[in-house]
Amino acid sequence: MNNYGTLLVVDDNAAILTALRYCLEGTFERIITLERPEEILKTMAQEAVDLVLLDMNFTLGVNSGQEGLMWLRTIRKHHAEVPVVLLTAYADVQLAVRGLKSGAADFIVKPWDNDELVRKLKDVLELQTEIVTLDEVESDHIRRAIDRCHGNLSKAADMLGITRQTLYNKMKRLS
């Protein structure tokens, strides 16, 4: 039963798009494929997308992953609630870490294992539907603010709009 909503797949290789469509059509209600990343925002404005599977490289001969990271940030800026899974043939640990730090939900390497791909995509969507407590949300938000401020609690408190003492109290309560 394909009850996992709408998947948007963006890859410049038509053969990859076809293979992914065949692999995933039993899992998703709808699969939208794009060969040009420039069409992502327009498509997402017109369609209710539940998950994006995004290639990392779109220019022939370029395999740095920078294009994918740029499009990931663009999607996250305009559609923060939609998870993005990165897809690349040129995987390295540093690229995966940069992608995850930029907001990717997961990272898949070509060639992929079909069962593993389906499992990872399902896991990402199922995590989206989990209900987390307010304490968990607050704790995560505080941790990200502190990370962004490189451990400077005064800056993190300012970023969060609270006093440093309030931040200390929240950290103590949530730990």
Side-chain angles (χ1 to χ4, degrees), residues 34-73:
L34 299 175
E35 288 185 37
R36 297 170 20 106
E38 298 81 13
E39 299 173 14
I40 293 172
L41 293 181
K42 177 183 169 195
T43 301
M44 291 182 78
Q46 296 171 347
E47 304 283 345
V49 173
D50 297 292
L51 176 64
V52 177
L53 184 56
L54 176 68
D55 189 27
M56 297 287 296
N57 299 297
F58 295 95
T59 302
L60 190 63
V62 175
N63 59 16
S64 68
Q66 292 306 306
E67 292 171 297
L69 291 175
M70 188 272 301
W71 284 109
L72 168 64
R73 287 188 295 273

Side-chain angles (χ1 to χ4, degrees), residues 20 23-24 28 30 36 47 53-54 65-67 73 79 81 104 107 126 128 132 138 140 148 159 172 174-175:
L20 287 166
C23 173
L24 299 168
F28 290 89
R30 187 155 181 246
R36 297 170 20 106
E47 304 283 345
L53 184 56
L54 176 68
Q66 292 306 306
E67 292 171 297
R73 287 188 295 273
H79 301 278
E81 74 288 354
F107 195 86
E126 287 169 2
Q128 292 293 110
V132 296
E138 185 176 43
D140 183 56
R148 184 170 285 169
M159 179 187 287
K172 187 184 288 186
L174 294 170
S175 58

Side-chain angles (χ1 to χ4, degrees), residues 2 5-6 11 13 34 50 53 81-82 97 99 102 116-117 120-121 124-125 128 135 137 140 149-150 171-172:
N2 48 358
T6 299
D11 195 302
N13 184 324
L34 299 175
D50 297 292
L53 184 56
E81 74 288 354
V82 178
V97 169
S102 296
E116 180 74 6
L117 172 67
K120 281 187 173 192
L121 296 180
V124 166
L125 285 171
Q128 292 293 110
D135 283 346
V137 172
D140 183 56
C149 294
H150 307 289
M171 290 170 55
K172 187 184 288 186

Side-chain angles (χ1 to χ4, degrees), residues 15-34:
I16 294 289
L17 293 175
T18 300
L20 287 166
R21 180 179 292 282
Y22 284 127
C23 173
L24 299 168
E25 66 185 356
T27 303
F28 290 89
E29 292 173 29
R30 187 155 181 246
I31 299 173
I32 302 167
T33 58
L34 299 175

